[in-house]
Amino acid sequence: MENNVILETKGLSKYFYDPVKFQVLKEIEMRINYGEFVSIVGKSGCGKSTLLYLLSTMDTAYDGQIYIHNQLVTGKTDRELALIRNEKIGFVFQFHYLLAEYNVLKNVMLPGMKLGKYSDQELENRAMKHLKTLDMEDQALKMPNQLSGGQKQRVAIARALINDPLIIMGDEPTGNLDKKNSDLVFDIFNRLTQEENQTLLVVTHDTDFANRTTRIITMEDGKIIS
Amino acid sequence: MNFKLILNIAFHLLQARLKQTIVAAVGVTFSIAMFIALVSFMNGLNDLLDGLMLNRTPHVLLYNEIKPSENQPIFLSKEFKNKTNFIRSIKPKDIGKSIYNSKTIIAVLKKDTRVIDVAPKVTSPVFFNSGTIEISGVINGIDVLSEEKLFKISDYIVDGNVTDLLQNNSIIIGKGLSDKMLLSKGDIIKITTSKGNLASLKIVGISEIGIAEIDNVMSYTSLATAQKIVGESTNYITDIQINLYDRTSAPAVAKEFRNTFNLDTIDYQTANSQFETGSTVRSIISYAVGVVLLIVAGFGIYNILNMMIYEKMDSIAILKATGFSGNDVQWIFISLSIIIGLAGGLFGLLFGYIFSSIIDIIPFETASLPTVKTYPINYNPLYYGIGITFALFTTTIAGLFPALKASKIDPVEIIRGK
Ligand SMILES: Nc1ncnc2c1ncn2[C@@H]1O[C@H](COP(=O)(O)OP(=O)(O)OP(=O)(O)O)[C@@H](O)[C@H]1O
Ligand SMILES: [Mg+2]
């Protein structure tokens, strides 16, 4: 067992039954190693998002197995999966999904408060540190609706980082941003891999973005072709 | 599970929907307040009527009834033993109203652990004379202290003091009597018994129960004075009144005493069955109305939580994506409804108390209830306990279904939907 494998799938298949039975993912075999910055590309509708939802443990209706850190997650209970998401996976979506009821700082701290590993004071320091590296420390006390799209996305990245996850997953995290902001997000991701050895798995349509990552997985029709 | 965090999230969700939350809580407040006011009022009314009639009735009364003797001479004859005997024109035998061996019976009863106290009584029909008028009435010779302990007769003394009866040759007469005979406290009243004995007694007080038939004929004096008037010894007792710790056991106890002491007995329930029914019906009505109001409030909470869940789909999805389990989400929404129920319920108790106090000062005067000046209210803390329990129970139930729904929300569906 190689210890530097963060994420691995075995014969991963997924069907949709509505309106007709349809196989979205076909026997996906993939492996992501520690410290890699991987992008997934492919035509619209080829199943990228679907794959990511499976890998994130949020969607549990599939055939095959998923291993996170060499640990089988297939078949675990809702509660166990929630803990895995909380502890080991950070998410950045195309839409920011910040909680409108909390300010930026609290939004970043929330997954940490759930994990309960650090005291609130420590969490606040850590959150501020992440916001600072994302150049957002002066926005910490704003409410999400007072931020621009790019700023929201950076808050979402800070939130993904708060529990030192094994892997950060993103579904078109720059899809909603202009060139300048996408570059900024890319730079942040790049810096994370280079400086912190953070593992990243990002679905993108942006070929520029993909070309700058360490590995590109290309999908077509529910299969990995390269 | 981290309840502090869950409560924190619940509070933030509430703050974002403050108006609807307040509306939901006000629904609970209203129903609890109405429940409290209604139950307190209805029970106040029950207590009033109980006090009027029931509390004046002993739980068990021992007396001698005038009736034909059960063993007629013919039954003793061997010759007619196996025959059917027809006897006509039986007359009741006067064994006297006096309870035989009353002192011993009272001593035995006083030792009985089920008995609160025993109040012996002498009743006798008399004529009250004032000048030329003569009015028939009843004189009750009572043991002042135990009578007061069991029946609170001082509540009905409108003028004078019940303990003044302890003086020799004193009497308290009903308001109706005093009005008719133009007598007041301090005057002397002449009394003739059916046997022709005469006595002059000093009026030390006026009593008013509020029931004209009673106030027109009733008078109280001490046991010794009554015995003297009827010309009997200090053993002469016509009624023994008993109150029990457990009122509901009265019928059984009455039956037991009938056999033990070979006396006639009547229990509280039999003597007042129509009053008991009224009390029960009033209680049922007030609880039923309270429960209906609460169910309506429960639907309000259910609606608002459902709406909140639809509005907060995104938040629920992100909470789940970042590591909150379905169970956590469920608890967030259950706490929401408990917060609404608790806040609404506590305010309901407060307003219920205020409403009750308002009812309590509304004037309510009727000729038949001269001792009552305002509407009666019973401030039993138990009703407040029931109220808050009801509130929490219904709101938790109302929150349970939306909470289960929220816990089942599939974050993938929401995120994909964007
Ligand atoms: N809930 C669903 N029920 C049925 N079919 C679905 C459902 N969700 C997605 N699909 C189908 O599954 C296929 C893969 O969808 P998916 O969202 O994974 O594509 P994608 O590669 O992420 O595309 P895009 O690049 O446009 O985001 C599509 O053909 C889509 O129509
Ligand atoms: Mg997609």
Side-chain angles (χ1 to χ4, degrees):
Chain A
M1 241 193 237
E2 308 100 307
N3 254 332
N4 64 340
V5 178
I6 294 294
L7 190 68
E8 192 177 7
T9 68
K10 286 185 182 158
L12 197 61
S13 294
K14 164 89 186 168
Y15 296 87
F16 282 121
Y17 297 92
D18 193 30
V20 285
K21 185 172 175 182
F22 157 63
Q23 187 168 14
V24 210
L25 298 178
K26 296 160 186 164
E27 302 281 325
I28 301 263
E29 306 275 342
M30 63 181 277
R31 184 177 286 187
I32 291 173
N33 295 317
Y34 177 73
E36 274 190 305
F37 184 1
V38 183
S39 57
I40 303 178
V41 297
K43 279 212 279 299
S44 181
C46 68
K48 305 181 296 291
S49 298
T50 308
L51 175 62
L52 205 65
Y53 296 140
L54 295 189
L55 297 177
S56 72
T57 76
M58 282 192 284
D59 189 349
T60 51
Y62 58 83
D63 299 331
Q65 287 100 40
I66 299 174
Y67 295 85
I68 293 177
H69 222 190
N70 297 316
Q71 185 193 6
L72 179 67
V73 297
T74 310
K76 284 198 185 290
T77 64
D78 172 65
R79 198 186 288 242
E80 291 167 325
L81 292 177
L83 185 64
I84 289 171
R85 284 199 294 279
N86 188 229
E87 211 178 355
K88 300 188 172 162
I89 306 174
F91 287 101
V92 184
F93 302 99
Q94 183 173 356
F95 288 87
H96 55 85
Y97 281 113
L98 298 178
L99 296 181
E101 294 83 12
Y102 286 99
N103 66 18
V104 165
L105 184 62
K106 274 277 159 62
N107 260 291
V108 175
M109 286 166 66
L110 210 58
M113 288 159 83
K114 169 64 191 161
L115 187 61
K117 200 162 106 188
Y118 301 105
S119 72
D120 281 6
Q121 188 52 49
E122 253 172 299
L123 269 177
E124 200 175 314
N125 293 340
R126 290 170 59 85
M128 282 311 287
K129 193 192 84 195
H130 287 306
L131 285 172
K132 200 169 199 159
T133 56
L134 299 174
D135 214 15
M136 287 286 294
E137 78 264 40
D138 47 342
Q139 315 285 329
L141 297 179
K142 278 192 177 174
M143 298 308 278
N145 59 7
Q146 296 169 311
L147 298 179
S148 76
Q151 288 173 323
K152 284 177 193 166
Q153 207 55 303
R154 276 183 274 167
V155 177
I157 295 170
R159 180 179 61 194
L161 287 168
I162 191 76
N163 284 340
D164 299 324
L166 283 175
I167 183 166
I168 291 180
M169 299 183 188
D171 193 355
E172 304 183 38
T174 58
N176 250 357
L177 305 178
D178 62 7
K179 182 82 182 111
K180 191 173 143 265
N181 271 304
S182 325
D183 283 347
L184 191 78
V185 169
F186 180 82
D187 288 342
I188 292 164
F189 282 165
N190 210 24
R191 200 170 62 221
L192 284 171
T193 7
Q194 310 220 307
E195 288 173 15
E196 325 261 336
N197 256 336
Q198 178 69 54
T199 315
L200 285 149
L201 176 62
V202 177
V203 171
T204 183
H205 278 288
D206 185 341
T207 37
D208 269 2
F209 186 103
N211 284 332
R212 289 192 278 168
T213 60
T214 50
R215 175 148 72 103
I216 301 176
I217 293 176
T218 313
M219 281 182 70
E220 200 178 293
D221 251 355
K223 279 183 276 208
I224 293 180
I225 53 168
S226 72
Chain B
M1 212 179 318
N2 186 343
F3 269 102
K4 209 179 112 205
L5 180 58
I6 282 175
L7 274 181
N8 187 309
I9 296 173
F11 267 114
H12 275 86
L13 288 176
L14 279 186
Q15 267 169 22
R17 280 265 145 251
L18 201 59
K19 251 192 219 154
Q20 275 120 314
T21 311
I22 289 175
V23 170
V26 165
V28 180
T29 301
F30 180 74
S31 28
I32 295 294
M34 287 316 282
F35 170 76
I36 296 282
L38 202 67
V39 171
S40 307
F41 181 42
M42 286 297 183
N43 280 286
L45 220 52
N46 279 349
D47 296 346
L48 176 83
L49 294 170
D50 281 2
L52 196 68
M53 205 57 208
L54 303 190
N55 289 353
R56 305 194 43 76
T57 318
H59 296 167
V60 178
L61 177 68
L62 278 62
Y63 64 108
N64 267 331
E65 194 153 36
I66 293 181
K67 60 181 177 194
S69 99
E70 275 168 26
N71 285 315
Q72 295 292 331
I74 186 119
F75 297 139
L76 301 174
S77 149
K78 275 195 188 111
E79 195 182 336
F80 297 104
K81 199 165 184 184
N82 298 322
K83 307 273 159 65
T84 306
N85 305 306
F86 295 93
I87 313 169
R88 291 180 199 280
S89 243
I90 300 179
K91 294 285 176 289
K93 182 183 166 210
D94 187 9
I95 50 168
K97 292 181 76 189
S98 169
I99 294 174
Y100 179 69
N101 211 1
S102 58
K103 285 241 162 89
T104 325
I105 294 178
I106 291 168
V108 169
L109 288 174
K110 282 204 176 189
K111 279 198 201 106
D112 196 312
T113 51
R114 294 166 296 182
V115 172
I116 298 176
D117 206 355
V118 183
K121 197 160 94 170
V122 172
T123 50
S124 172
V126 289
F127 290 106
F128 297 104
N129 313 301
S130 171
T132 53
I133 47 170
E134 191 168 72
I135 296 175
S136 66
V138 178
I139 193 158
N140 286 300
I142 55 172
D143 177 339
V144 178
L145 297 180
S146 41
E147 190 84 6
E148 170 68 13
K149 181 173 169 195
L150 295 188
F151 307 115
K152 275 302 261 169
I153 52 170
S154 58
D155 281 358
Y156 306 97
I157 308 296
V158 288
D159 191 11
N161 207 327
V162 68
T163 47
D164 290 343
L165 281 185
L166 294 171
Q167 303 161 12
N168 264 344
N169 294 332
S170 56
I171 188 168
I172 290 176
I173 61 171
K175 182 113 178 23
L177 273 177
S178 87
D179 286 348
K180 278 191 209 166
M181 303 176 66
L182 299 173
L183 290 171
S184 58
K185 193 179 150 194
D187 293 339
I188 302 289
I189 189 168
K190 290 211 176 63
I191 289 175
T192 324
T193 67
S194 53
K195 288 185 181 149
N197 302 351
L198 256 164
S200 296
L201 302 178
K202 184 174 178 213
I203 299 173
V204 294
I206 308 292
S207 74
E208 184 174 31
I209 288 165
I211 300 171
E213 298 96 273
I214 296 179
D215 288 334
N216 282 343
V217 296
M218 201 52 82
S219 69
Y220 295 100
T221 183
S222 68
L223 212 49
T225 311
Q227 285 160 345
K228 207 164 67 193
I229 293 171
V230 295
E232 297 279 352
S233 73
T234 54
N235 285 331
Y236 182 81
I237 300 289
T238 60
D239 300 87
I240 297 174
Q241 311 169 98
I242 303 164
N243 271 8
L244 302 171
Y245 288 104
D246 179 15
R247 196 167 85 173
T248 51
S249 69
V253 175
K255 201 168 166 193
E256 180 194 322
F257 288 168
R258 173 159 48 227
N259 296 332
T260 328
F261 301 119
N262 196 19
L263 284 168
D264 292 301
T265 58
I266 185 156
D267 60 85
Y268 174 90
Q269 277 81 349
T270 315
N272 295 295
S273 45
Q274 73 278 29
F275 280 92
E276 282 281 285
T277 317
S279 301
T280 317
V281 169
R282 273 188 294 276
S283 292
I284 291 174
I285 289 175
S286 42
Y287 280 96
V289 171
V291 167
V292 168
L293 286 172
L294 267 171
I295 290 173
V296 173
F299 274 107
I301 290 176
Y302 174 83
N303 270 336
I304 285 179
L305 284 185
N306 254 344
M307 209 166 65
M308 212 179 251
I309 285 165
Y310 281 115
E311 276 175 1
K312 296 294 166 198
M313 284 284 193
D314 289 2
S315 301
I316 294 168
I318 201 66
L319 284 174
K320 285 193 163 177
T322 56
F324 286 79
S325 63
N327 214 347
D328 295 330
V329 171
Q330 186 181 332
W331 275 109
I332 290 173
F333 281 88
I334 290 182
S335 345
L336 273 177
S337 64
I338 292 180
I339 292 169
I340 295 177
L342 200 63
L346 287 177
F347 273 104
L349 296 189
L350 180 70
F351 280 104
Y353 180 76
I354 293 174
F355 288 166
S356 313
S357 316
I358 292 175
I359 295 174
D360 205 4
I361 53 169
I362 295 175
F364 169 61
E365 297 196 31
T366 123
S368 65
L369 299 169
T371 51
V372 177
K373 299 285 176 245
T374 58
Y375 281 103
I377 289 288
N378 181 337
Y379 294 98
N380 189 339
L382 177 70
Y383 308 142
Y384 294 77
I386 294 175
I388 196 76
T389 315
F390 267 9
L392 282 179
F393 182 73
T394 25
T395 50
T396 310
I397 296 288
L400 209 56
F401 296 101
L404 275 174
K405 191 150 93 191
S407 81
K408 294 215 178 76
I409 284 175
D410 180 2
V412 172
E413 237 169 73
I414 312 289
I415 293 166
R416 196 192 280 284
K418 279 277 169 174

